[in-house]
Amino acid sequence: MDDVIQRTRAEDVSCALSREMRKTAGKHEDDGTADCSTPVSASSCGFALTGCQFMTPSVVNRRVRLPMRGFAVLDCAKCRGASTARRHLTSPPPRASGNGEGPVADSRAQFGAELRRWRTGAGVSLADLAVVVHYSKGYLSKIENGLKQAHPDLARRCDAELGAGGRLASLAKTGEHRTERADEADDGEAWIVNLDGRDGSWFRPMGRREAIALGAGLGFSVGAPALARSAGGTALSVFRLQFDQMRALGQAASPGAVIPTVIAQTHTLRELARQAVGRDHSELFLLASRFAEYAGWMAQENGDERASLWWTDQAVRMAESGGDRHLARYALVRKAVVALYQEDAGKTIALSREAQAGPTPARIQGLAAQLEAQGHALAGDYESCMRVLDRARSLLVMPDDRGDSALPVLGAMHIEDPVAMAAGWCLLDLGRPREAAAVLDRQLPTVPEHALRTRARYGVRRALAYAMQNEVERACEITAELQGPLQAIGSATVAQDLRRLRRTLARFHGNKSVRNIYPLLTGQLD
């Protein structure tokens, strides 16, 4: 009975911690900011990537509206809140609140009845199931009677142990993740960026007419519009090198340190491409598309899925201007990644399959197949997951069939065997933490030391795999090793698995190692 009480209290503690975390995350970043009558402070700077001027923030009053040509927009909290096109650079969107008690109670009852049906059908006692999933018999009894909500991690464990083929996993949803649909991409030419070290930076695209209506005349010139005149393709080679450098920086720094520079580089390449002719025109647009695609990935890492999808659409347009029709297929892969982190298995699978349809380069097909397998894992379908992973492997080992091998490679660059790493990921979502830990133990040492983002992403899942099989000491040890990478990268996607890890470890709050590691987890999430 003491064990039942201890585990039940641990779950209640975990729920309380999660509620507190969501409350903290929901605070709006604009608290305490000035209104439109307040002059801009010298510590805030903004610029518009549309022409030739840069505004000096210390002399701009937010009420001023002047004739423009390349300007900074430094609006207030109320103005920014009213702008649907605004894109955050440094803060994730607030989370929506949960559903009412009625639907939640119905969901609990439905899952509980289905769990009992599968358990009794398999001839497994409640006590035996409790042993293999590492929860108490009393706690499982409450779930079967609709008194407790089963977390998706527990549902996946039960699904795997009872051979339910994903049926139990599909019934347990957190209901915590809500996202806005991406707005249609703006065809505007002006890109407005505000860089502020205090209150957070932001990005907003707008049409030229809107930009002219806003206006700006104060400021200083940063040069005439970019001209596509460089001897021997100097601009292309320099920006190609910068792309690799930005990718390296993105592995070791937060998105806020990467996104502003990537936006500026994308804009410059786009303007150079528009004025170039022949091969230069195509190559510059193609490289610009890679920068835009990377901006989308960093936006997702920053917790802004709407901005991520907007940048992905921009990348497709630039690629098409450069003669590449295949990036549109890869855009579906990126959208499938967004759906995966929304825990939408059906959408992940559908987008991945669409990306594999028609004449598509083998690498894009392989990456899409890998995402499809992860979608099947999320749905609890082991057989489909393993089958599609085999197809992904066969596609990703095929010779590079890209039209221009000088372009940056799409997808992960720091994983020696991406399909094996994906298998470890999938096994965890399939409720097979012991197998997942074994795979991740083999694969993590192959990731370069400098790839902090990749090491953190899979390292947290490795720690979670050990925690889910009650190897708490090992889970805490792995988490402690990730302290440096986690503090450096500031990843919204990794934070999702950190929340799962914190929730799982909360069940063992009496453990000394858990008490020692908990401040690290709390500091990364709150």
Side-chain angles (χ1 to χ4, degrees):
M1 178 59 70
D2 289 339
D3 181 60
V4 173
I5 294 172
Q6 182 181 15
R7 292 180 183 274
T8 304
R9 285 177 177 172
E11 289 293 325
D12 292 336
V13 168
S14 172
C15 293
L17 287 169
S18 296
R19 286 195 299 271
E20 183 63 26
M21 178 195 68
R22 289 195 293 273
K23 185 192 302 180
T24 303
K27 292 180 179 178
H28 198 278
E29 69 170 15
D30 287 330
D31 289 346
T33 54
D35 64 20
C36 285
S37 64
T38 307
V40 182
S41 68
S43 64
S44 175
C45 65
F47 58 92
L49 300 174
T50 177
C52 317
Q53 294 180 345
F54 187 100
M55 297 202 71
T56 50
S58 59
V59 298
V60 181
N61 187 288
R62 300 187 188 198
R63 285 179 170 174
V64 176
R65 301 182 69 162
L66 300 166
M68 65 81 64
R69 185 156 183 257
F71 61 100
V73 173
L74 299 173
D75 53 4
C76 70
K78 296 176 183 177
C79 298
R80 294 203 304 272
S83 172
T84 59
R86 176 171 172 247
R87 303 286 187 260
H88 284 280
L89 292 183
T90 58
S91 62
R95 295 184 180 276
S97 59
N99 294 327
E101 179 60 20
V104 171
D106 292 343
S107 173
R108 289 200 302 257
Q110 182 183 10
F111 180 86
E114 194 69 2
L115 175 60
R116 181 182 288 110
R117 185 176 74 83
W118 278 96
R119 179 180 61 77
T120 56
V124 177
S125 70
L126 200 59
D128 288 341
L129 182 61
V131 170
V132 295
V133 300
H134 305 297
Y135 277 78
S136 71
K137 175 182 175 182
Y139 187 72
L140 293 181
S141 176
K142 289 182 179 181
I143 289 176
E144 286 195 351
N145 288 298
L147 301 177
K148 284 283 185 180
Q149 178 74 49
H151 188 270
D153 287 334
L154 174 57
R156 290 167 188 145
R157 293 299 309 278
C158 294
D159 193 292
E161 295 296 338
L162 299 175
R167 293 170 180 82
L168 291 174
S170 66
L171 290 176
K173 299 295 182 184
T174 63
E176 295 177 357
H177 193 85
R178 299 287 186 271
T179 57
E180 299 179 63
R181 295 189 61 180
D183 292 341
E184 291 298 319
D186 195 330
D187 287 325
E189 301 289 339
W191 291 0
I192 311 302
V193 179
N194 180 72
L195 302 180
D196 191 336
R198 292 185 314 171
D199 301 323
S201 303
W202 53 267
F203 164 75
R204 178 187 175 187
M206 65 169 62
R208 282 197 181 277
R209 291 186 178 181
E210 184 183 0
I212 292 171
L214 284 172
L218 297 177
F220 53 87
S221 174
V222 296
L227 298 177
R229 297 171 184 169
S230 60
T234 301
L236 189 66
S237 60
V238 169
F239 277 101
R240 176 64 180 83
L241 178 61
Q242 288 181 349
F243 182 83
D244 292 338
Q245 293 171 336
M246 295 312 298
R247 262 191 169 182
L249 180 61
Q251 280 289 323
S254 69
V258 178
I259 296 176
T261 302
V262 173
I263 291 174
Q265 291 166 325
T266 306
H267 171 268
T268 303
L269 279 167
R270 185 185 66 166
E271 294 306 305
L272 286 168
R274 282 174 171 170
Q275 299 174 62
V277 295
R279 183 174 179 178
D280 285 346
H281 172 85
S282 298
E283 290 182 344
L284 287 165
F285 259 126
L286 292 176
L287 186 54
S289 73
R290 293 299 197 269
F291 271 94
E293 187 276 326
Y294 187 62
W297 167 240
M298 283 289 101
Q300 185 181 2
E301 283 293 274
N302 197 47
D304 194 338
E305 292 172 353
R306 186 173 63 171
S308 176
L309 297 177
W310 186 89
W311 279 111
T312 300
D313 288 340
Q314 295 301 306
V316 171
R317 294 179 182 182
M318 294 178 197
E320 289 176 347
S321 296
D324 180 5
R325 304 290 176 181
H326 296 311
L327 196 65
R329 294 291 180 184
Y330 183 69
L332 294 171
V333 177
R334 287 288 302 119
K335 291 175 181 179
V337 173
V338 173
L340 179 71
Y341 280 103
Q342 293 172 352
E343 297 189 353
D344 190 333
K347 189 174 181 180
T348 302
I349 294 169
L351 287 168
S352 300
R353 286 177 172 172
E354 187 178 353
Q356 298 172 70
T360 307
R363 180 165 181 80
I364 295 178
Q365 288 195 50
L367 294 171
Q370 188 172 295
L371 257 296
E372 182 187 345
Q374 290 175 278
H376 287 303
L378 202 58
D381 189 343
Y382 178 84
E383 297 297 331
S384 295
C385 176
M386 294 298 113
R387 184 180 66 255
V388 177
L389 276 178
D390 287 340
R391 186 167 77 245
R393 182 179 298 280
S394 65
L395 288 165
L396 290 175
V397 299
M398 291 178 65
D400 192 350
D401 55 356
R402 290 177 298 152
D404 186 353
S405 58
L407 282 172
V409 175
L410 293 169
M413 292 289 296
H414 303 285
I415 301 177
E416 189 175 285
D417 188 345
V419 177
M421 192 74 88
W425 178 293
C426 291
L427 288 166
L428 184 63
D429 284 344
L430 285 164
R432 298 167 180 255
R434 191 170 301 278
E435 297 172 57
V439 173
L440 294 174
D441 281 345
R442 292 192 300 270
Q443 294 302 315
L444 257 300
T446 68
V447 178
E449 291 290 336
H450 66 269
L452 301 185
R453 190 172 298 276
T454 301
R455 293 183 70 83
R457 183 176 315 285
Y458 293 97
V460 170
R461 290 186 74 87
R462 181 185 177 209
L464 181 59
Y466 276 101
M468 288 175 64
Q469 51 184 311
N470 277 25
E471 295 191 32
V472 179
E473 299 293 338
R474 183 61 179 136
C476 291
E477 183 180 307
I478 293 171
T479 305
E481 294 170 354
L482 296 172
Q483 181 172 0
L486 288 171
Q487 289 176 343
I489 63 169
S491 169
T493 54
V494 174
Q496 289 186 223
D497 283 327
L498 272 178
R499 292 186 185 97
R500 293 174 65 186
L501 177 59
R502 187 172 72 169
R503 184 184 297 110
T504 303
L505 290 177
R507 297 173 51 220
F508 309 96
H509 62 279
N511 182 284
K512 181 179 179 181
S513 296
V514 172
R515 292 199 303 270
N516 289 338
I517 205 66
Y518 223 80
L520 168 62
L521 294 173
T522 301
Q524 292 298 316
L525 294 172
D526 295 342

PDB file of all heavy atoms in Angstrom, residues 381-399:
ATOM      1  N   ASP A 381       2.621   1.169 -34.400  1.00  0.00           N
ATOM      2  CA  ASP A 381       2.612   0.114 -35.419  1.00  0.00           C
ATOM      3  C   ASP A 381       4.048  -0.371 -35.655  1.00  0.00           C
ATOM      4  O   ASP A 381       4.777   0.156 -36.494  1.00  0.00           O
ATOM      5  CB  ASP A 381       2.011   0.665 -36.713  1.00  0.00           C
ATOM      6  CG  ASP A 381       1.771  -0.420 -37.760  1.00  0.00           C
ATOM      7  OD1 ASP A 381       2.345  -1.515 -37.630  1.00  0.00           O
ATOM      8  OD2 ASP A 381       1.018  -0.143 -38.714  1.00  0.00           O
ATOM      9  N   TYR A 382       4.445  -1.404 -34.921  1.00  0.00           N
ATOM     10  CA  TYR A 382       5.824  -1.901 -34.977  1.00  0.00           C
ATOM     11  C   TYR A 382       6.188  -2.453 -36.348  1.00  0.00           C
ATOM     12  O   TYR A 382       7.248  -2.139 -36.901  1.00  0.00           O
ATOM     13  CB  TYR A 382       6.023  -2.976 -33.903  1.00  0.00           C
ATOM     14  CG  TYR A 382       7.402  -3.596 -33.911  1.00  0.00           C
ATOM     15  CD1 TYR A 382       8.461  -2.985 -33.249  1.00  0.00           C
ATOM     16  CD2 TYR A 382       7.639  -4.799 -34.575  1.00  0.00           C
ATOM     17  CE1 TYR A 382       9.726  -3.546 -33.254  1.00  0.00           C
ATOM     18  CE2 TYR A 382       8.896  -5.374 -34.592  1.00  0.00           C
ATOM     19  CZ  TYR A 382       9.940  -4.742 -33.928  1.00  0.00           C
ATOM     20  OH  TYR A 382      11.196  -5.306 -33.943  1.00  0.00           O
ATOM     21  N   GLU A 383       5.323  -3.288 -36.909  1.00  0.00           N
ATOM     22  CA  GLU A 383       5.635  -3.935 -38.185  1.00  0.00           C
ATOM     23  C   GLU A 383       5.829  -2.919 -39.299  1.00  0.00           C
ATOM     24  O   GLU A 383       6.802  -2.983 -40.059  1.00  0.00           O
ATOM     25  CB  GLU A 383       4.515  -4.925 -38.561  1.00  0.00           C
ATOM     26  CG  GLU A 383       4.351  -6.080 -37.583  1.00  0.00           C
ATOM     27  CD  GLU A 383       5.591  -6.962 -37.510  1.00  0.00           C
ATOM     28  OE1 GLU A 383       6.308  -7.043 -38.534  1.00  0.00           O
ATOM     29  OE2 GLU A 383       5.848  -7.556 -36.448  1.00  0.00           O
ATOM     30  N   SER A 384       4.927  -1.976 -39.415  1.00  0.00           N
ATOM     31  CA  SER A 384       5.044  -0.956 -40.464  1.00  0.00           C
ATOM     32  C   SER A 384       6.283  -0.100 -40.254  1.00  0.00           C
ATOM     33  O   SER A 384       6.988   0.262 -41.198  1.00  0.00           O
ATOM     34  CB  SER A 384       3.794  -0.074 -40.488  1.00  0.00           C
ATOM     35  OG  SER A 384       2.649  -0.813 -40.845  1.00  0.00           O
ATOM     36  N   CYS A 385       6.567   0.202 -39.005  1.00  0.00           N
ATOM     37  CA  CYS A 385       7.734   1.023 -38.688  1.00  0.00           C
ATOM     38  C   CYS A 385       9.017   0.354 -39.161  1.00  0.00           C
ATOM     39  O   CYS A 385       9.841   0.971 -39.856  1.00  0.00           O
ATOM     40  CB  CYS A 385       7.787   1.284 -37.182  1.00  0.00           C
ATOM     41  SG  CYS A 385       9.256   2.189 -36.655  1.00  0.00           S
ATOM     42  N   MET A 386       9.213  -0.899 -38.811  1.00  0.00           N
ATOM     43  CA  MET A 386      10.442  -1.610 -39.180  1.00  0.00           C
ATOM     44  C   MET A 386      10.536  -1.791 -40.696  1.00  0.00           C
ATOM     45  O   MET A 386      11.629  -1.685 -41.281  1.00  0.00           O
ATOM     46  CB  MET A 386      10.489  -2.971 -38.488  1.00  0.00           C
ATOM     47  CG  MET A 386      10.612  -2.882 -36.966  1.00  0.00           C
ATOM     48  SD  MET A 386      12.142  -2.059 -36.417  1.00  0.00           S
ATOM     49  CE  MET A 386      11.469  -0.559 -35.671  1.00  0.00           C
ATOM     50  N   ARG A 387       9.405  -2.053 -41.338  1.00  0.00           N
ATOM     51  CA  ARG A 387       9.409  -2.238 -42.791  1.00  0.00           C
ATOM     52  C   ARG A 387       9.830  -0.956 -43.512  1.00  0.00           C
ATOM     53  O   ARG A 387      10.657  -0.985 -44.441  1.00  0.00           O
ATOM     54  CB  ARG A 387       8.022  -2.676 -43.261  1.00  0.00           C
ATOM     55  CG  ARG A 387       7.956  -2.988 -44.766  1.00  0.00           C
ATOM     56  CD  ARG A 387       6.578  -3.408 -45.207  1.00  0.00           C
ATOM     57  NE  ARG A 387       5.590  -2.351 -45.083  1.00  0.00           N
ATOM     58  CZ  ARG A 387       4.651  -2.292 -44.140  1.00  0.00           C
ATOM     59  NH1 ARG A 387       4.561  -3.247 -43.229  1.00  0.00           N
ATOM     60  NH2 ARG A 387       3.788  -1.296 -44.106  1.00  0.00           N
ATOM     61  N   VAL A 388       9.301   0.166 -43.068  1.00  0.00           N
ATOM     62  CA  VAL A 388       9.618   1.439 -43.718  1.00  0.00           C
ATOM     63  C   VAL A 388      11.050   1.870 -43.404  1.00  0.00           C
ATOM     64  O   VAL A 388      11.722   2.471 -44.253  1.00  0.00           O
ATOM     65  CB  VAL A 388       8.603   2.525 -43.308  1.00  0.00           C
ATOM     66  CG1 VAL A 388       8.964   3.864 -43.919  1.00  0.00           C
ATOM     67  CG2 VAL A 388       7.189   2.126 -43.748  1.00  0.00           C
ATOM     68  N   LEU A 389      11.552   1.549 -42.212  1.00  0.00           N
ATOM     69  CA  LEU A 389      12.947   1.853 -41.901  1.00  0.00           C
ATOM     70  C   LEU A 389      13.894   1.104 -42.843  1.00  0.00           C
ATOM     71  O   LEU A 389      14.914   1.649 -43.263  1.00  0.00           O
ATOM     72  CB  LEU A 389      13.259   1.490 -40.449  1.00  0.00           C
ATOM     73  CG  LEU A 389      12.910   2.519 -39.377  1.00  0.00           C
ATOM     74  CD1 LEU A 389      13.249   1.986 -37.991  1.00  0.00           C
ATOM     75  CD2 LEU A 389      13.624   3.848 -39.618  1.00  0.00           C
ATOM     76  N   ASP A 390      13.553  -0.133 -43.172  1.00  0.00           N
ATOM     77  CA  ASP A 390      14.372  -0.889 -44.125  1.00  0.00           C
ATOM     78  C   ASP A 390      14.388  -0.193 -45.478  1.00  0.00           C
ATOM     79  O   ASP A 390      15.431  -0.130 -46.155  1.00  0.00           O
ATOM     80  CB  ASP A 390      13.836  -2.315 -44.270  1.00  0.00           C
ATOM     81  CG  ASP A 390      14.137  -3.185 -43.054  1.00  0.00           C
ATOM     82  OD1 ASP A 390      15.060  -2.814 -42.294  1.00  0.00           O
ATOM     83  OD2 ASP A 390      13.457  -4.207 -42.859  1.00  0.00           O
ATOM     84  N   ARG A 391      13.234   0.331 -45.892  1.00  0.00           N
ATOM     85  CA  ARG A 391      13.192   1.039 -47.175  1.00  0.00           C
ATOM     86  C   ARG A 391      14.012   2.325 -47.111  1.00  0.00           C
ATOM     87  O   ARG A 391      14.717   2.672 -48.063  1.00  0.00           O
ATOM     88  CB  ARG A 391      11.739   1.370 -47.550  1.00  0.00           C
ATOM     89  CG  ARG A 391      11.620   1.986 -48.936  1.00  0.00           C
ATOM     90  CD  ARG A 391      10.211   2.043 -49.451  1.00  0.00           C
ATOM     91  NE  ARG A 391       9.433   3.113 -48.864  1.00  0.00           N
ATOM     92  CZ  ARG A 391       8.369   2.936 -48.092  1.00  0.00           C
ATOM     93  NH1 ARG A 391       7.957   1.719 -47.795  1.00  0.00           N
ATOM     94  NH2 ARG A 391       7.701   3.961 -47.593  1.00  0.00           N
ATOM     95  N   ALA A 392      13.943   3.017 -45.983  1.00  0.00           N
ATOM     96  CA  ALA A 392      14.721   4.240 -45.823  1.00  0.00           C
ATOM     97  C   ALA A 392      16.216   3.955 -45.943  1.00  0.00           C
ATOM     98  O   ALA A 392      16.960   4.705 -46.583  1.00  0.00           O
ATOM     99  CB  ALA A 392      14.419   4.892 -44.473  1.00  0.00           C
ATOM    100  N   ARG A 393      16.665   2.871 -45.344  1.00  0.00           N
ATOM    101  CA  ARG A 393      18.084   2.522 -45.416  1.00  0.00           C
ATOM    102  C   ARG A 393      18.527   2.280 -46.848  1.00  0.00           C
ATOM    103  O   ARG A 393      19.573   2.755 -47.289  1.00  0.00           O
ATOM    104  CB  ARG A 393      18.366   1.293 -44.551  1.00  0.00           C
ATOM    105  CG  ARG A 393      19.838   0.900 -44.527  1.00  0.00           C
ATOM    106  CD  ARG A 393      20.069  -0.303 -43.634  1.00  0.00           C
ATOM    107  NE  ARG A 393      19.709  -0.019 -42.255  1.00  0.00           N
ATOM    108  CZ  ARG A 393      20.488   0.645 -41.409  1.00  0.00           C
ATOM    109  NH1 ARG A 393      21.664   1.114 -41.830  1.00  0.00           N
ATOM    110  NH2 ARG A 393      20.102   0.850 -40.163  1.00  0.00           N
ATOM    111  N   SER A 394      17.709   1.547 -47.604  1.00  0.00           N
ATOM    112  CA  SER A 394      18.080   1.242 -48.984  1.00  0.00           C
ATOM    113  C   SER A 394      18.137   2.508 -49.841  1.00  0.00           C
ATOM    114  O   SER A 394      18.955   2.602 -50.768  1.00  0.00           O
ATOM    115  CB  SER A 394      17.091   0.241 -49.585  1.00  0.00           C
ATOM    116  OG  SER A 394      15.789   0.812 -49.687  1.00  0.00           O
ATOM    117  N   LEU A 395      17.290   3.482 -49.529  1.00  0.00           N
ATOM    118  CA  LEU A 395      17.271   4.731 -50.302  1.00  0.00           C
ATOM    119  C   LEU A 395      18.442   5.645 -49.937  1.00  0.00           C
ATOM    120  O   LEU A 395      19.046   6.276 -50.801  1.00  0.00           O
ATOM    121  CB  LEU A 395      15.953   5.468 -50.068  1.00  0.00           C
ATOM    122  CG  LEU A 395      14.707   4.843 -50.710  1.00  0.00           C
ATOM    123  CD1 LEU A 395      13.440   5.437 -50.111  1.00  0.00           C
ATOM    124  CD2 LEU A 395      14.727   5.047 -52.221  1.00  0.00           C
ATOM    125  N   LEU A 396      18.775   5.705 -48.655  1.00  0.00           N
ATOM    126  CA  LEU A 396      19.806   6.633 -48.212  1.00  0.00           C
ATOM    127  C   LEU A 396      21.222   6.176 -48.553  1.00  0.00           C
ATOM    128  O   LEU A 396      22.156   6.984 -48.505  1.00  0.00           O
ATOM    129  CB  LEU A 396      19.680   6.868 -46.700  1.00  0.00           C
ATOM    130  CG  LEU A 396      18.450   7.674 -46.274  1.00  0.00           C
ATOM    131  CD1 LEU A 396      18.342   7.740 -44.759  1.00  0.00           C
ATOM    132  CD2 LEU A 396      18.488   9.081 -46.861  1.00  0.00           C
ATOM    133  N   VAL A 397      21.391   4.910 -48.893  1.00  0.00           N
ATOM    134  CA  VAL A 397      22.728   4.441 -49.297  1.00  0.00           C
ATOM    135  C   VAL A 397      22.928   4.524 -50.804  1.00  0.00           C
ATOM    136  O   VAL A 397      24.021   4.246 -51.295  1.00  0.00           O
ATOM    137  CB  VAL A 397      22.984   2.996 -48.823  1.00  0.00           C
ATOM    138  CG1 VAL A 397      22.921   2.908 -47.311  1.00  0.00           C
ATOM    139  CG2 VAL A 397      21.996   2.025 -49.465  1.00  0.00           C
ATOM    140  N   MET A 398      21.889   4.934 -51.534  1.00  0.00           N
ATOM    141  CA  MET A 398      22.020   5.060 -52.986  1.00  0.00           C
ATOM    142  C   MET A 398      22.926   6.232 -53.333  1.00  0.00           C
ATOM    143  O   MET A 398      23.049   7.190 -52.560  1.00  0.00           O
ATOM    144  CB  MET A 398      20.640   5.249 -53.627  1.00  0.00           C
ATOM    145  CG  MET A 398      19.760   4.018 -53.549  1.00  0.00           C
ATOM    146  SD  MET A 398      18.123   4.291 -54.269  1.00  0.00           S
ATOM    147  CE  MET A 398      18.557   4.558 -55.985  1.00  0.00           C
ATOM    148  N   PRO A 399      23.591   6.199 -54.499  1.00  0.00           N
ATOM    149  CA  PRO A 399      24.465   7.308 -54.914  1.00  0.00           C
ATOM    150  C   PRO A 399      23.690   8.619 -54.977  1.00  0.00           C
ATOM    151  O   PRO A 399      22.486   8.649 -55.249  1.00  0.00           O
ATOM    152  CB  PRO A 399      24.935   6.873 -56.311  1.00  0.00           C
ATOM    153  CG  PRO A 399      24.777   5.400 -56.329  1.00  0.00           C
ATOM    154  CD  PRO A 399      23.588   5.097 -55.471  1.00  0.00           C
TER     155      PRO A 399
END
